[in-house]
């Protein structure tokens, strides 16, 4: 019995029980699915279920058999999992499509074969039904899809420099530390016991492919080491890997070579850009415009935090911070960030909406909490951006003072931020969420915080866009698409009902009299700006609650007592966020430690 047969036996016995014999396992249909190929598409008839033996699959929505519209990633399938059982059990069309993220080996059970095995192993049907019910319950509850660590990686040296060679060795050592890991390059095969050597042309011999498959079964992490040359070894490694890391030296030319352009990975791709100094990053867009990567990370010389972030992403331990809308109340997010820093909770990815995009931009610049709070105080209290009134034709506030303040502190490109960042705005005509991942940070924030009626709309690609809170007040769903494992969301929106003490809304004159005259009824009525700001949240309130529930931790600072434009309460708002965040985060960490046997997050 081969190593592959033993692995298949181990997988199917999870569902069929120990009574499944070796002879039956060897007779099961096997399917080799190339990386990038569809196993099935949404809407197709469910005529089989599959067990993933080796490789990785992705689950997509919106990819029907005759529909070429861009699909939406729902999750991933790792070795040992089954897929397609719902369609086989119910006979309904496929509710989602499944595609190979890399070359994959599967076991296929068609209807007839399934019926035969189900008769011999009736408990299997109950296990599969339970699995389907569990998936449906998690989907209805909006639970975040589990992110698994990458187990097969390809490190491609884009440049042959000492900096890149040293970095590759450091990454390999960190990935394999404490685990059964193996790194294989063309020159390491013979020392590792490979049965054949490689030639310069042609595909890899079958004996070598089988030997490499066995090495993947034996090790918890397998790393392929390659140069950016169109060689059979490199092409094979790119097809076999869950993720390809393009290891590039920022001191070299950003243009890819012809050979690099010819290389086509099957799985995820990331550009890891190595910088020789701690100086501010610049010019990243030149590296990205000619490369189709899923994300990029920066490694600056001497910055241990950058390398730690890369390893958390690769090990499935990265943490994403989502910051919601809420005007001035959103400054409580600075206090939460301060609490996270004190507790040693690192931020690996940050996303925001409206005021959350401003706070998130400061965090993504890798400012420490005290500096971020100081800059925010200077901008919002001394700068008085909400006092920039104009004739209310398009908006109450011109917004020019806000832009000047942003340019003074945050005038960088999103691609150049040390911590990956995104923010959201709302397309005014199309009614769609626009996600800003590249371009000038100030322009992105300007769009995300363009509060309708308060600040004028922004112009992006000749379209008018307004505040992100109009369509997505708390973009946890966008963060779930990033390579993070846990998500902390900070939400400062209302969660209680406010009762008023009058039967009908008083007139403007009555409100003014109640404020100026010492006697008579005093009315507590929200200001025009507060009403406009609050109105932007109403349409997405239920969706915001669903997104908040999908986060691993929701921090909801009690800031309702503060006005939504009351910058004079800056320090009190930040302090409330800090105190509430410190309490919530401490409890969360204690629960994490208890669940993980005392494991802690490394900053």
């Amino acid at each position: 019995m081969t190593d592959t047969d033993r692995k298949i036996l181990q997988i199917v016995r999870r569902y069929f029980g120990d009574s499944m014999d070796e002879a039956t396992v060897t007779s099961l249909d096997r399917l080799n699915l190339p990386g990038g190929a569809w196993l099935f598409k949404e809407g197709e008839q469910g005529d089989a279920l599959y067990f993933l033996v080796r490789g990785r699959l992705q689950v997509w929505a919106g990819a029907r058999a005759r529909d070429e519209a861009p699909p939406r990633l729902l999750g991933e399938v790792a070795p040992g999992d089954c897929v397609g059982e719902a369609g086989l059990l119910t006979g309904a069309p496929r509710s989602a499509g499944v595609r190979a993220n890399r070359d994959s080996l599967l076991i296929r059970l068609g209807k007839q074969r399934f019926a035969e095995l189900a008769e011999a192993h009736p408990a299997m049907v109950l296990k599969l039904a339970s699995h389907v019910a569990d998936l449906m319950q998690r989907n209805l509850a909006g639970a975040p899809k589990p992110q698994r660590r990458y187990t097969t990686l390809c490190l491609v040296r884009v440049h042959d420099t000492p900096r890149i060679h040293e970095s590759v060795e450091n990454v390999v050592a960190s990935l394999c530390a404490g685990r059964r890991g193996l790194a294989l390059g063309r020159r390491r095969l013979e020392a590792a016991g490979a049965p054949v050597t490689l030639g310069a042309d042609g595909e890899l011999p079958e004996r070598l492919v089988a030997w490499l498959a066995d090495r993947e079964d034996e090790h918890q992490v397998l790393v392929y080491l390659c140069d950016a040359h169109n060689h059979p070894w490199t092409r094979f490694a790119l097809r076999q890997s869950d993720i390809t890391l393009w290891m590039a030296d920022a001191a070299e030319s950003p243009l890819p070579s012809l050979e690099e352009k010819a290389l086509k990975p099957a799985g995820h791709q990331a550009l890891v850009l190595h910088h020789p100094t701690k100086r501010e990053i610049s010019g990243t867009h030149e590296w990205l415009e000619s490369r189709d990567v899923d994300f990029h990370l920066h490694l600056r010389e001497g910055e241990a935090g950058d390398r730690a972030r890369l390893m958390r992403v690769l090990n499935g331990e990265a943490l994403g911070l989502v910051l919601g809308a809420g005007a001035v109340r959103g400054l409580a997010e600075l206090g939460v960030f301060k609490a996270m820093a004190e507790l040693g909770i690192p931020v690996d990815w940050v996303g925001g909406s409206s005021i959350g995009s401003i706070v998130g931009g400061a965090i993504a610049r890798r400012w420490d909490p005290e500096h971020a709070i100081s800059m925010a105080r200077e901008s919002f209290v001394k700068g008085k951006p909400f006092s920039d009134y104009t004739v209310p034709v398009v908006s109450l506030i011109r917004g020019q003072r806000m832009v000047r303040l942003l340019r003074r502190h945050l005038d960088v490109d999103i691609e150049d931020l040390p911590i990956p960042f995104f923010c959201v705005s709302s397309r005014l005509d199309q009614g769609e969420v626009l996600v800003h991942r590249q371009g000038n940070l100030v322009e992105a924030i300007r769009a995300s915080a363009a509060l309708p009626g308060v600040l004028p709309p922004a112009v992006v690609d000749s379209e008018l866009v307004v505040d992100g809170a109009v369509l997505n007040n708390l973009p946890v769903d966008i963060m779930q698409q990033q390579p993070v494992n846990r998500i902390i969301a900070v939400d400062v929106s209302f969660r209680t009902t406010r009762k008023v003490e009058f039967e009908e809304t008083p007139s403007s004159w009555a409100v003014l009299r109640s404020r100026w005259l010492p006697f008579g009824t005093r009315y507590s009525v929200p200001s025009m700006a507060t009403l406009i700001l609050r109105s932007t949240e109403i349409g997405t309130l239920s969706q915001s609650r669903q997104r908040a529930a999908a986060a691993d931790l929701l921090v909801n600072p009690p800031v309702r007592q503060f006005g939504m434009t009351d910058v004079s309460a800056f320090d009190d708002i930040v302090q409330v966020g800090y105190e509430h965040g410190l309490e919530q985060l401490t409890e969360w960490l204690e629960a994490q430690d208890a669940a993980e046997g005392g494991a802690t997050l490394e900053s």
Side-chain angles (χ1 to χ4, degrees):
M1 196 177 202
T2 66
D3 289 339
T4 299
D5 289 335
R6 281 190 286 271
K7 186 169 185 177
I8 293 173
L9 179 62
Q10 181 184 17
I11 291 172
V12 297
R13 277 183 172 175
R14 296 181 192 174
Y15 299 88
F16 292 87
D18 293 337
S19 59
M20 172 62 70
D21 57 79
E22 296 179 7
T24 302
V25 167
T26 55
S27 69
L28 296 176
D29 293 336
R30 304 184 186 193
L31 173 65
N32 287 292
L33 190 65
W38 287 94
L39 180 63
F40 52 77
K41 285 193 173 183
E42 181 179 348
E44 293 181 352
Q45 196 62 36
D47 59 352
L49 72 85
Y50 304 84
F51 298 97
L52 181 60
V53 180
R54 185 182 297 113
R56 189 175 293 258
L57 308 174
Q58 294 178 329
V59 183
W60 296 86
R64 295 184 179 275
R66 299 182 179 180
D67 186 4
E68 298 302 326
R72 178 170 55 91
L73 180 63
L74 298 179
E76 295 191 346
V77 180
D81 292 343
C82 63
V83 65
E85 65 274 26
L88 184 66
L89 291 175
T90 64
R94 302 293 191 187
S95 59
V98 174
R99 186 172 63 187
N101 189 44
R102 45 162 291 201
D103 286 2
S104 301
L105 172 64
L106 302 99
I107 293 299
R108 181 184 185 277
L109 289 184
K111 285 187 176 182
Q112 181 62 35
R113 188 69 167 128
F114 174 78
E116 295 171 358
L117 292 173
E119 185 176 356
H121 308 275
M124 178 195 67
V125 179
L126 294 177
K127 285 188 178 182
L128 290 175
S130 176
H131 182 59
V132 172
D134 182 59
L135 288 174
M136 293 179 62
Q137 184 176 8
R138 290 210 307 266
N139 290 335
L140 291 173
K145 304 296 184 298
Q147 298 284 335
R148 298 177 175 90
R149 68 174 63 190
Y150 300 107
T151 57
T152 307
L153 306 92
C154 181
L155 272 57
V156 181
R157 292 179 290 261
V158 175
H159 300 112
D160 189 20
T161 64
R163 182 180 298 110
I164 296 302
H165 281 271
E166 180 182 2
S167 181
V168 166
E169 293 301 324
N170 289 335
V171 170
V172 168
S174 297
L175 284 170
C176 297
R179 290 192 285 169
R180 295 193 311 277
L182 178 65
L184 292 174
R186 291 168 55 190
R187 298 174 184 85
R188 302 189 186 197
L189 287 174
E190 185 176 356
V196 293
T197 57
L198 286 176
D201 301 310
E203 296 302 317
L204 269 63
E206 285 299 324
R207 288 177 60 202
L208 180 57
V209 172
W211 182 84
L212 290 169
D214 290 340
R215 301 292 79 73
E216 183 176 342
D217 291 340
E218 293 172 358
H219 294 84
Q220 293 174 308
V221 58
L222 182 62
V223 184
Y224 291 105
L225 305 177
C226 307
D227 295 314
H229 300 310
N230 192 11
H231 186 276
W233 170 257
T234 304
R235 294 196 299 269
F236 172 82
L238 294 177
R239 294 196 309 269
Q240 294 300 314
S241 300
D242 299 328
I243 186 170
T244 295
L245 301 182
W246 300 96
M247 310 290 280
D249 193 327
E252 302 293 321
S253 170
L255 299 177
S257 66
L258 292 177
E259 284 200 282
E260 181 188 337
K261 288 182 178 180
L263 299 174
K264 304 297 181 184
H268 296 295
Q269 298 185 66
L271 173 67
V272 182
L273 200 53
H274 299 70
H275 302 270
T277 66
K278 293 184 180 181
R279 289 181 303 181
E280 195 157 295
I281 301 165
S282 63
T284 307
H285 71 279
E286 297 178 5
W287 292 86
L288 297 175
E289 63 184 358
S290 53
R291 292 177 173 86
D292 183 19
V293 297
D294 296 290
F295 61 91
H296 70 280
L297 294 170
H298 295 286
L299 288 185
R300 294 166 294 171
E301 196 77 29
E303 283 285 352
D306 292 352
R307 189 167 299 279
R309 178 174 303 105
L310 170 63
M311 299 316 304
R312 286 192 294 269
V313 169
L314 298 181
N315 288 326
E317 300 167 349
L319 184 142
L321 176 63
V322 178
L323 305 172
V328 170
R329 292 169 175 163
L331 296 172
E333 295 162 348
L334 287 166
V336 177
F337 173 51
K338 179 180 177 181
M340 292 178 67
E342 287 189 7
L343 293 171
I345 302 175
V347 177
D348 297 310
W349 225 277
V350 60
S353 179
S354 195
I355 186 68
S357 68
I358 300 176
V359 177
I363 295 173
R365 291 210 68 179
R366 218 167 184 272
W367 287 352
D368 63 71
E370 293 304 328
H371 183 65
I373 291 171
S374 175
M375 292 298 98
R377 184 185 293 107
E378 177 184 329
S379 299
F380 284 93
V381 180
K382 296 181 181 179
K384 298 181 179 179
F386 294 110
S387 299
D388 187 19
Y389 295 108
T390 186
V391 178
V393 176
V394 177
S395 60
L396 296 174
I397 299 172
R398 289 188 304 169
Q400 295 179 5
R401 189 178 300 172
M402 174 76 78
V403 172
R404 284 199 303 270
L405 292 168
L406 290 173
R407 292 209 181 279
R408 186 182 304 170
H409 303 298
L410 300 175
D411 195 12
V412 297
D413 285 345
I414 295 174
E415 304 96 308
D416 294 331
L417 292 169
I419 299 176
F421 168 89
F422 70 84
C423 65
V424 297
S425 62
S426 305
R427 296 182 188 270
L428 191 59
D429 291 333
Q430 299 183 33
E432 296 176 349
V433 173
L434 176 62
V435 183
H436 302 263
R437 293 190 179 93
Q438 296 187 21
N440 183 261
L441 177 60
V442 172
E443 295 300 326
I445 292 174
R446 164 77 179 85
S448 184
L451 299 162
V454 178
L455 290 165
V459 179
V460 178
D461 295 332
S462 301
E463 291 185 51
L464 291 178
V465 300
V466 295
D467 194 283
V470 173
L471 293 177
N472 196 333
N473 184 57
L474 193 69
V476 173
D477 55 328
I478 308 297
M479 184 62 80
Q480 286 179 304
Q481 302 298 319
Q482 314 312 313
V484 299
N485 184 50
R486 286 175 283 192
I487 297 175
I488 294 176
V490 186
D491 185 9
V492 295
S493 61
F494 291 172
R495 294 192 174 274
T496 58
T497 301
R498 179 177 180 177
K499 301 292 185 179
V500 297
E501 298 178 351
F502 43 81
E503 295 183 359
E504 64 178 69
T505 305
S507 67
S508 299
W509 290 112
V511 173
L512 291 174
R513 283 196 302 269
S514 74
R515 294 176 180 175
W516 291 343
L517 300 178
F519 305 105
T521 304
R522 187 169 186 83
Y523 297 106
S524 178
V525 180
S527 67
M528 182 190 304
T530 298
L531 285 172
I532 294 174
L533 292 169
R534 177 60 176 144
S535 297
T536 63
E537 300 177 352
I538 293 176
T540 59
L541 191 58
S542 61
Q543 293 180 356
S544 177
R545 288 170 178 162
Q546 291 177 358
R547 296 186 187 107
D552 294 272
L553 174 65
L554 175 66
V555 182
N556 191 217
V559 291
R560 179 166 183 168
Q561 70 270 29
F562 303 109
M564 298 186 78
T565 58
D566 184 12
V567 295
S568 65
F570 176 90
D571 289 308
D572 291 336
I573 293 173
V574 173
Q575 184 64 22
V576 168
Y578 168 74
E579 293 176 355
H580 185 78
L582 193 63
E583 179 183 355
Q584 293 286 97
L585 291 163
T586 300
E587 292 178 358
W588 182 68
L589 282 179
E590 290 174 351
Q592 293 287 308
D593 287 346
E596 299 174 9
T600 57
L601 288 167
E602 297 180 1
S603 59

